[in-house]
């Protein structure tokens, strides 16, 4: 144990913080890391289809993972540089087919994810799942589950049903829960004549998808305020999905912090939902001027999100998932920075004397509370972080970048 850690620990303890308890809590909190940062959300269907659904990766940094083997290798490399417990979040478009076999999205089977289950087992990961309602010819006029075209709507309902079955299968195989998150792009570019009918169709589709009771599956629905090409209206709005989840036990509202009006913050939504739901799933991202899905950084709103999770004693109730995709920088580094930032924010939040600060609020000692908030910011956080990384067997500081740079040279730059 380094001297710096020992002395930092003492300083925190003087403020009433139990550092060992904080580190223990952190190392047991899983972060669900999205697989799609590794390949620019392209997936493994090999169809050469462009990304659709109003989301966008920009940049063409060399070294994108082009297949299952590369994606796995990159993910493992990235996660070897991140402390803490991880899960991997998959999309249905990452199904693995036997040579010569390929089925459409509505026919996907649990066995198409067996190789991912093996991968998860080998690496001690949990799995989360996402049906893929985009980048597919059956997305017609930007509509899926809310389409008035019954052929389109029912295709996507079947996809949703299969994805839940796949999730249940994975849950059983790994003896764990699997979060299954429904996000659809559906919306209109310009002012619609009817905002209700598409929502009623979406409601009907969700009822059909969620009809089957499936143990081990945590169902969620992810809202959005707009997408590229769907600026005027999105069917799956926040109000729609919160209401849906609130009236359908076992379905949860997933908060993606890129999906709200710019002055709205997800940190404030977390405690609102905690008052009503036993679980609150998240997609943590970083929007720059729009839902741009930049790499998550250790910034104010991320810290606020982490504080809401920690001080509400909700480390087990808030299911933390990441969702960003930057193709303009080294993708391994993107994963590392984003996931480490989430870990850092949680640690920062865990190193605060919340009971005392809550008491100050209750007692209306707001001046003292402000002082406390500010003083804590300059405690030697980095020494605790370094120590945590060390005990987790990962580099605490910038040395992780050397590993990434070497991997880029040896592996990534040889792909094209
Ligand atoms: C899109 C949503 C959605 C996707 C992923 C790829 O705006 O955030 O979660 O980013 O499913
Ligand atoms: Zn998301």
């Amino acid at each position: 144990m380094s001297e710096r850690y020992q002395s930092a620990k003492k300083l925190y303890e003087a403020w009433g913080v139990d550092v060992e308890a904080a580190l223990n809590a952190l190392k047991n909190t899983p972060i669900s890391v999205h697989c799609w940062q590794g390949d620019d959300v392209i997936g493994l269907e090999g169809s050469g289809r462009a990304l659709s659904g109003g989301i966008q990766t920009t940049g063409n940094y060399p070294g994108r993972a082009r297949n299952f083997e590369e994606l796995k290798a990159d993910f493992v490399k990235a996660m070897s540089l991140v402390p803490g417990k991880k899960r991997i979040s998959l999309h249905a478009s990452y199904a693995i087919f036997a040579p010569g076999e390929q089925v459409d999205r509505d026919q996907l089977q649990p066995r198409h994810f067996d190789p991912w289950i093996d991968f998860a087992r080998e690496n001690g990961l949990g799995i989360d799942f996402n049906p893929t309602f985009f980048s597919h010819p059956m997305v017609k006029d930007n509509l899926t589950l809310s389409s008035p075209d019954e052929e389109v709507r029912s295709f996507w309902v079947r996809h949703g049903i299969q994805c839940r079955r796949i999730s249940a299968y994975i849950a059983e195989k790994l003896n764990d829960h699997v979060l299954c998150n429904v996000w659809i792009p559906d919306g209109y570019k310009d002012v619609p004549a009817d905002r209700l009918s598409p929502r009623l169709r979406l409601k009907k589709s969700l009822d059909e998808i969620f009809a089957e009771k499936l143990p081990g599956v945590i169902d969620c629905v992810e809202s959005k305020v707009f997408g590229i090409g769907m600026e005027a209206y999105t069917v799956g709005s926040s109000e729609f999905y919160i209401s849906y989840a609130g009236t359908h036990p076992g379905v949860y509202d997933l908060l993606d912090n890129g999906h709200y009006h710019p002055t709205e913050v997800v940190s404030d939504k977390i405690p609102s939902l905690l008052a009503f739901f036993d679980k609150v799933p998240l997609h943590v991202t970083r929007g720059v001027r729009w839902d741009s899905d930049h790499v998550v950084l250790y910034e104010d709103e991320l810290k606020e999100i982490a504080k809401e999770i920690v001080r509400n004693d909700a480390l087990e109730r808030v299911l933390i998932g990441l969702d960003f995709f930057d193709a303009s920088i080294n993708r391994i580094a993107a994963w590392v920075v984003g996931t480490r930032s989430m870990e850092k924010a949680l640690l920062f939040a865990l190193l605060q004397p919340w009971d005392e600060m809550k008491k100050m609020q209750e007692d209306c000692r707001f001046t003292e509370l402000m002082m406390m908030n500010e003083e804590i910011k300059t405690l030697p956080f980095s020494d605790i972080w370094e120590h945590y990384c060390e005990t987790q067997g990962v580099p605490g500081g910038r040395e992780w970048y050397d590993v990434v740079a070497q991997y880029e040279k040896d592996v990534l730059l040889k792909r094209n």
Side-chain angles (χ1 to χ4, degrees), residues 36 130 181 183 222-223 254-259 282-285 291 293 322-323 325:
W36 52 91
N130 301 260
N181 173 47
W183 172 75
E222 177 184 5
S223 73
L254 181 143
L255 304 169
D256 179 313
N257 61 313
H259 291 187
L282 300 182
H283 269 185
V284 181
T285 189
D291 180 33
D293 289 292
L322 306 177
D323 181 14
F325 27 98

Side-chain angles (χ1 to χ4, degrees), residues 52-251:
S52 81
I55 54 178
Q56 188 98 69
T57 48
T58 54
N60 56 356
Y61 198 84
R64 173 182 85 73
R66 299 162 300 178
N67 54 49
F68 184 40
E69 294 307 318
E70 291 178 355
L71 188 59
K72 283 192 295 184
D74 292 0
F75 187 85
V76 168
K77 177 56 73 178
M79 292 308 121
S80 73
L81 302 170
V82 178
K85 213 174 172 177
K86 295 116 196 163
R87 304 171 63 82
I88 183 165
S89 179
L90 302 176
H91 246 285
S93 53
Y94 291 79
I96 310 295
F97 299 110
E101 186 203 16
Q102 178 116 22
V103 300
D104 211 342
R105 299 241 182 107
D106 65 332
Q107 302 298 321
L108 282 172
Q109 302 300 323
R111 68 184 146 83
H112 297 129
F113 291 86
D114 278 337
W116 281 114
I117 296 174
D118 294 339
F119 174 70
R121 275 207 193 103
E122 282 156 26
N123 293 283
L125 303 164
I127 293 183
D128 292 311
F129 203 77
N130 301 260
T132 312
F133 296 97
F134 53 83
S135 304
H136 191 281
M138 280 302 268
V139 181
K140 300 234 168 100
D141 303 310
N142 291 328
L143 301 175
T144 64
L145 294 178
S146 74
S147 174
D149 179 340
E150 187 54 24
E151 206 194 318
V152 170
R153 195 192 69 84
S154 62
F155 175 87
W156 290 111
V157 167
R158 287 195 301 278
H159 177 59
I161 289 174
Q162 286 312 102
C163 286
R164 289 187 69 242
R165 290 180 179 161
I166 291 164
S167 302
Y169 172 82
I170 298 172
E172 196 202 311
K173 289 278 166 190
L174 292 181
N175 192 20
D176 189 18
H177 69 265
V178 171
L179 183 140
C180 181
N181 173 47
V182 170
W183 172 75
I184 58 164
D186 299 34
Y188 292 106
K189 182 180 175 78
D190 227 319
V191 188
D194 178 1
R195 291 172 183 266
L196 179 58
S197 300
R199 289 186 173 137
L200 293 175
R201 283 191 294 267
L202 174 56
K203 187 173 165 217
K204 174 172 172 232
S205 298
L206 294 176
D207 287 348
E208 291 168 15
I209 291 174
F210 295 135
E212 198 174 353
K213 278 257 162 300
L214 288 171
V217 181
I218 300 177
D219 287 303
C220 356
V221 283
E222 177 184 5
S223 73
K224 185 158 175 171
V225 67
F226 86 101
I228 300 176
M230 283 146 280
E231 288 85 357
Y233 169 80
T234 48
V235 183
S237 63
S238 177
E239 294 74 9
F240 177 88
Y241 281 135
I242 291 180
S243 306
Y244 190 89
T247 51
H248 294 75
V251 179

